Each structure stands twice: as C-alpha cells, then as structure tokens.
Amino acid sequence: MKYVIINSSEVSSINFSEVLQTSTKTLRYNLDGTKTFVKYEGDQPSFLNGKTELIHAEIKTELAKETWTEEL
Amino acid sequence: MLGLGANIAAVTSTDLFTLSNGQSIDFDGTDDFVEIILNNDIINKQKGTIAVWFRLDDMGGSSSVIELYNEADVLAGTSSNIIQLFAPFNLSTNVPRTKGILFQILATEDGTRYHQQTNAKNNPEHWGTGASRDKETYGFNDSTSSNARLFYNDDNGTFRKENRDFNLFSYAGLIAADSFSNTESQVESVAGNQNTGWIQVTCTWDTTEVFTPTQANNNGAFVTASEITGAMQIFINGIKFQKGQGLKEGGGISNDEHGVTLGMRSITPSFVFDRIRFACAEGSNGSAGNDMDGHISTVAIWDDVLSDNAVAAAYNSGTLIDLTANSGNYDGSNNLVGYWPVEEGGGTIIEDKSGNSNNGILYNNSAWAADGFGN
C-alpha cells in the first residue's frame, strides 16, 4: 500500500474510486486541518499528479509527529 | 489519572494464545476504523463491562483499541463522556517521561547475559546487556530519574513494583514474558516493534461502588489507601490486574504494568452513548491520532459489571464461548447488549449478535485477516 499527503485544499480533487479511503468524511487530517492523506494500491491515481509516495512505515512516522497526533 | 490498586497476578507468556480458525479485522494504524452507531441506549452509564480480543502489530505509540462516546459531544469539541481503552500506555516519543514512572520494562536472559529495555524502540539508550547474572545486584537505573518505578515478578512469581532499583524482573508491556526463560531474539522482536500476540482485555466500570483500594508503597508492599467512590477494573486474559479509581470527573485507571489504560470522563446521568469505535480515538475521524496498528477479533459489551469468575469464564483459557448463552461461571448473557464476533471474513459490515442489531461498518480499507477467533 502507498500513501500520499495532500493539502486540504486538494480534497475536492480526490477520486474516491481510486483510493482506499471511504469518503471525505473519513479522511484523517493533521491537527491544524491543513493536510490529509490518501492511500491506494498499485499505480498512483492520476489526480495525485506525481506527488511523493510513502510506504506504510513512512506514513506512520509522519503521523506520529506532533502535527498529526495529540498527546494523551 | 493513574489509579490505585493492587495487582492480583501476573500474566506469563504461556497465557498468550493463538487464534487460528476465525477472522479478525486488520487495522493499518493510519486512518482505518470500525464505527457502530447505536440505535438504542444500550450502555448503562453507571455500570458496564467491555471485553475485546486484540493484538498490536506496532507497540510504538498509544493505540485506541475501543471507545464509547457521543458523536454530538465530540463534534461540539468536548471530549467528556467517553470510555476509552488504550494500549499500550504512554509510549509516544512526544510524551515526556515522568520522574518516578518507568513504564514498559523488558528484561530477560539468554543464558549468559541479561537484556533490558524500556519503552520499546523509543528509548534505545536504555537497551543494553549485562555481563553479571547475579540477580541480586544487577539492577536497573533510569538515568532520568533517581527514583525509578519498577515492575517485576519475584522468585515466587508474585508481581511486585518498587520505586527503587530492583533485583529481579520480567515485564514487557503487552508482551508478558516468563522470568528468565525468553531468548534474546524474543527481546529484540519487541525492540523491533513486532506484534504482541493475541490478548484479551476486559474492563469494567461502576461509578457508584464505594471501596477501599490498596496501593503499593516504595518498598513494594501493599497498604490500605483512602476510601473512594467509583471503581474500574482491568482483566488481562481473565485475570484481574487492577482495580482502581473511576471518578465521575476525569476518572481512569492505568494498568501501566501491562500497557493498558481504561479511562472514563464525566459520565452524567442523562448521557447517551451513541457511538462505538474500534482502533481510532475520539470519534474525530482519526484527527486526534492514536490509531491502532493491529487486529481486533471479537468485542462484547455488557450493561453491568461481570463478576471475576464470569470474566474468567468468558475468556475460557483463550477459547471463545458463545457469549449469548450462560455457561459454567459465565452468567452474563442477559446483560449482553453488544456482541461482535467479527466472523464475516469479508465485506464492510460486522453483525451485532446480541440481538440489538447495532451492526458496525468498516471504513478506510479496514482489512480482513483469517487469524481471529473462530466460532
């Protein structure tokens, strides 16, 4: 599986038939709401336009940062 | 937030069990989850029990295993009125370690050396080996604290905790290691964030119970504390590990010896739980993080506190029984208000077998795995 972080302003361009997220309502955003991400298998969907792909370990490292995860 | 309580027994690696015939849901720890919209007010606010069978694929952060909440409450920006089960406890790199609290200790030997680690991969500076095999002198000092809190099993297998150097040890977060029987490779598998093996955790809450807890002092002895109102309990594989304070305001207990936290906040008499989520915190579409990287197989909720014997019988040494029917010491079927055996093996719906028809929906590619409990 591959993951791509996008700006929240790009959410309207997501083709949900090409990604594994269910809908805009279930996207996970960073804490200030400026970024989200999509995940997919196989080739990169065209709407992502060559954006940087992350593997599972890389996206988990990113999501563990303070900008994405609230301290308990 | 930490609770009070005496530990009753210690889990050993022999208590971990293998699930081979059924199904589970595999969460990738990024944004997938299961949501259950409750069509009726099934959860007793004052008393209840949750049981969940799960394993973690990554112990590197705090994972929300399951939570009960009210959607409107969350959307309004308040996080009260939530019951949460987290595992493991406070392992995030961005959580400062508290002086006097040393969580997740792993110590084993391979026949010639001792191996110790705290906080899995996040504190590798504490990973090391010791040439001495003298159990009485090979202690462990947390370099950030002069008074580290330590958890271990003594020579008789009795669980101990002390606020000073220790002389015998066996503890590994959700991995419950046998004293002096694990190999170096097993230790390193934890350091490498490998999975925990399956574990069953049962949590109870009763905001009305008045009881007098016991509390470990600095010498590891248990002493009587002040009477309190409100009780939570944590059972691991049918064994009670912690009974502690469950306050109506900001209550919660932490079984930090085994990396499990149960929290309850501000439960009010008129409150209605209308959502349950697996593997994702606070009902906020994952924006708060704490997504669980691991598997869940079977979740059950009762509207009363199960007895110790009933909890043990429901665990049944790792073999699932039909929780809709009383059997042996299990007498909770009449109080079973939510039951998701997670046995579908495909699709995006898990069926509630309690009779209340509160089915769950899988979101964001929650995957099926053929390694869960069979029925």
Side-chain angles (χ1 to χ4, degrees), chain A residues 31-70:
Chain A
L31 296 182
D32 68 9
T34 58
K35 294 184 183 300
T36 184
F37 67 91
V38 292
K39 58 186 179 184
Y40 51 90
E41 292 174 333
D43 296 335
Q44 187 178 79
S46 56
F47 73 85
L48 291 173
N49 196 28
K51 291 181 182 295
T52 301
E53 293 179 334
L54 305 176
I55 62 174
H56 184 234
E58 292 171 331
I59 189 70
K60 286 201 66 183
T61 298
E62 182 66 24
L63 297 178
K65 294 178 180 176
E66 293 178 354
T67 53
W68 286 88
T69 298
E70 286 179 358

Side-chain angles (χ1 to χ4, degrees), chain B residues 2 89 97-103 142 145 147-149 151 256:
Chain B
L2 290 178
F89 175 65
R97 299 173 66 192
T98 303
K99 183 177 181 179
I101 301 294
L102 183 59
F103 42 83
D142 181 351
S145 167
N147 191 25
R149 184 180 179 192
F151 311 97
D256 37 347

Side-chain angles (χ1 to χ4, degrees), chain B residues 15-337:
Chain B
D15 292 317
L16 301 176
F17 49 90
T18 301
L19 309 175
S20 58
N21 298 318
Q23 300 288 332
S24 71
I25 302 173
D26 181 3
F27 301 95
D28 72 357
T30 63
D31 66 347
D32 48 358
F33 62 94
V34 169
E35 182 178 76
I36 299 165
I37 299 175
L38 302 175
N39 298 312
N40 33 47
D41 184 14
I42 63 170
I43 310 296
N44 185 322
K45 278 74 66 177
Q46 293 185 325
K47 300 178 182 179
T49 300
I50 303 173
V52 55
W53 285 252
F54 70 98
R55 69 176 175 87
L56 298 178
D57 289 334
D58 187 345
M59 294 175 65
S62 295
S63 302
S64 177
V65 180
I66 192 167
E67 67 177 18
L68 286 67
Y69 64 100
N70 180 278
E71 180 77 350
D73 193 38
V74 169
L75 293 176
T78 61
S79 59
S80 60
N81 292 318
I82 288 177
I83 293 176
Q84 300 168 313
L85 174 63
F86 274 87
F89 175 65
N90 270 358
L91 292 179
S92 301
T93 53
N94 60 356
V95 177
R97 299 173 66 192
T98 303
K99 183 177 181 179
I101 301 294
L102 183 59
F103 42 83
Q104 200 191 33
I105 302 169
L106 177 63
T108 61
E109 68 159 5
D110 61 2
T112 58
R113 299 172 302 172
Y114 286 120
H115 305 270
Q116 302 177 339
Q117 185 187 9
T118 61
N119 302 343
K121 66 178 182 180
N122 297 320
N123 287 289
E125 70 274 17
H126 293 303
W127 170 252
T129 61
S132 170
R133 298 186 67 228
D134 183 346
K135 293 185 292 188
E136 295 301 316
T137 59
Y138 192 85
F140 178 84
N141 268 318
D142 181 351
S143 62
T144 65
S145 167
S146 61
N147 191 25
R149 184 180 179 192
L150 302 166
F151 311 97
Y152 61 95
N153 295 327
D154 67 16
D155 278 325
N156 298 317
T158 302
F159 186 85
R160 300 289 188 191
K161 53 184 177 182
E162 300 179 4
N163 289 334
R164 55 183 172 82
D165 291 352
F166 64 108
N167 57 16
L168 196 57
F169 39 84
S170 178
Y171 169 69
L174 282 171
I175 299 287
D178 283 330
S179 295
F180 311 112
S181 62
N182 289 304
T183 65
E184 184 174 0
S185 61
Q186 286 176 296
V187 176
E188 289 176 341
S189 74
V190 178
N193 261 352
Q194 300 303 304
N195 73 66
T196 60
W198 285 95
I199 195 167
Q200 191 251 32
V201 174
T202 302
C203 301
T204 73
W205 67 94
D206 182 348
T207 61
T208 66
E209 181 179 350
V210 178
F211 76 110
T212 303
T214 54
Q215 183 177 12
N217 65 15
N218 287 350
N219 295 319
F222 294 118
V223 297
T224 301
S226 302
E227 183 179 273
I228 58 175
T229 300
M232 292 179 173
Q233 301 178 105
I234 293 178
F235 299 75
I236 299 177
N237 290 354
I239 301 170
K240 181 157 63 179
F241 273 85
Q242 188 88 320
K243 181 172 183 177
Q245 195 167 27
L247 297 176
K248 295 177 182 177
E249 294 288 339
I253 65 172
S254 168
N255 188 345
D256 37 347
E257 297 86 354
H258 287 79
V260 178
T261 301
L262 172 64
M264 175 187 287
R265 305 175 191 170
S266 197
I267 305 301
T268 54
S270 60
F271 187 72
V272 175
F273 290 114
D274 65 2
R275 296 286 192 281
I276 301 174
R277 276 205 186 198
F278 303 173
C280 174
E282 302 241 343
S284 51
N285 298 332
S287 61
N290 305 303
D291 290 69
M292 171 183 161
D293 188 349
H295 296 225
I296 290 179
S297 174
T298 302
V299 173
I301 298 179
W302 295 262
D303 67 354
D304 203 348
V305 176
L306 293 187
S307 68
D308 295 1
N309 287 337
V311 170
Y315 167 63
N316 192 33
S317 301
T319 301
L320 188 67
I321 63 173
D322 178 5
L323 298 175
T324 64
N326 290 337
S327 174
N329 288 329
Y330 173 70
D331 58 0
S333 64
N334 289 339
N335 296 103
L336 187 70
V337 293

